[in-house]
Amino acid sequence: MKTSAELIQEAKKNAALEAVKHVKDHFIVGLGSGTTVAFAIEALGKRAKEENIKIMGIPSSYQTFQLAVQHGIQITTLDEHPVIDITIDGADQVTPELHLIKGMGAALLREKIVATASKYNIIIVDESKRVKVLGENNQTVPIEILPFALALVERKIASLGGTSIIREGKGKLGPIITDNGNMIIDVNFGLIRKPKEMAFKVKNIPGVIETGFFVDLTDLVYIATENKIEKLEK
Ligand code: 5RP
């Protein structure tokens, strides 16, 4: 019998394989980050090779860059291709309105840039990421901040009702430093019934570089279990 961890891996792979079907020849593909996207990168590399289609990827993190290279996906940049045809990314929470929390992999800044540059955004998740309201199950919202502004940002976040924790590294003492040289704080806001408003208020704090609220950015979500895939559309 399969363990629950194995079933989750299968679900992630199923969602990824479904998303990759949307990619067409000559597409510029935004590549999100995380364990679910890793399955999509592998499948994209396979498609490019087996079907001889030409695609180019714009990675949202060093992790994704390395994976894409490993799977033979040609890399390009936003400077060369400012408009992306499709982006495939994962998420930490997804609501029925297609609002997301992202950033548990600390790649949220580039992920949001890639998503915003993209004509079509697909999110791939396993069933455990589905919620009614963002912030359920004590899910925190990752926020990328300029280290210089930490004390100010924490104070302002507290005035919005949030409790912040600096994200610590694994295999490194002290705070993690993102691919962009910044810090991440994980903020518990409780249930977030108005994510658009909250995202706006947080983003407005000087020193906040980007928030893990992804609102009105997603076109399609594939939510998978090990044996079924559900499609949520805008
Ligand atoms: C990274 C992200 C990831 O997409 C998110 O954390 C989901 O990751 P996983 O697919 O590993 O569960 O936002 O910044």
Side-chain angles (χ1 to χ4, degrees):
M1 203 164 110
K2 289 179 182 155
T3 64
S4 64
E6 284 169 339
L7 293 175
I8 288 181
Q9 291 308 304
E10 259 180 50
K12 288 179 177 192
K13 188 170 183 177
N14 290 342
L17 293 181
E18 208 55 39
V20 162
K21 290 181 190 165
H22 291 256
V23 175
K24 300 195 173 88
D25 197 14
H26 288 97
F27 261 23
I28 304 300
V29 185
L31 302 169
S33 300
T35 54
T36 317
V37 167
F39 287 115
I41 294 171
E42 185 182 347
L44 269 177
K46 203 161 167 234
R47 272 199 67 194
K49 203 165 155 192
E50 288 175 0
E51 299 171 33
N52 199 22
I53 57 172
K54 186 173 157 47
I55 55 165
M56 286 198 273
I58 302 190
S60 59
S61 63
Y62 292 140
Q63 177 228 19
T64 294
F65 172 80
Q66 285 174 329
L67 268 177
V69 170
Q70 196 180 316
H71 289 286
I73 297 173
Q74 203 181 325
I75 303 295
T76 184
T77 62
L78 272 179
D79 302 293
E80 288 162 301
H81 294 97
V83 179
I84 297 174
D85 293 297
I86 197 168
T87 289
I88 301 174
D89 203 349
D92 302 301
Q93 284 197 333
V94 179
T95 70
E97 298 80 24
L98 274 54
H99 299 330
L100 318 175
I101 290 177
K102 283 185 49 55
M104 291 314 287
L108 61 108
L109 174 58
R110 294 188 194 202
E111 287 171 338
K112 196 173 279 186
I113 292 169
V114 165
T116 305
S118 191
K119 290 194 265 187
Y120 197 73
N121 283 294
I122 303 183
I123 293 295
I124 48 177
V125 290
D126 67 86
E127 180 75 18
S128 69
K129 310 290 185 68
R130 186 209 292 270
V131 291
K132 285 205 171 72
V133 180
L134 295 181
E136 274 176 23
N137 313 320
N138 283 318
Q139 172 68 49
T140 51
V141 181
I143 299 176
E144 180 153 351
I145 66 160
L146 189 74
F148 176 74
L150 174 65
L152 171 74
V153 173
E154 284 189 318
R155 188 157 60 81
K156 294 284 183 189
I157 292 274
S159 73
L160 294 174
T163 312
S164 4
I165 295 176
I166 300 170
R167 195 176 302 177
E168 300 271 322
K170 286 202 184 83
K172 171 192 178 295
L173 296 174
I176 62 144
I177 300 299
T178 68
D179 289 355
N180 318 299
N182 300 310
M183 276 163 50
I184 296 282
I185 54 171
D186 291 304
V187 181
N188 192 333
F189 286 106
L191 290 181
I192 306 148
R193 299 198 185 274
K194 295 187 173 171
K196 197 171 184 169
E197 285 82 345
M198 186 58 93
F200 182 78
K201 285 180 191 162
V202 176
K203 184 78 190 278
N204 225 15
I205 302 170
V208 166
I209 293 164
E210 194 47 86
T211 80
F213 290 112
F214 281 52
V215 179
D216 293 339
L217 272 173
T218 304
D219 297 289
L220 173 65
V221 179
Y222 284 119
I223 303 184
T225 63
E226 74 284 3
N227 52 23
K228 112 177 176 295
I229 301 172
E230 196 181 323
K231 194 174 175 181
L232 300 185
E233 266 176 299
K234 225 182 189 172

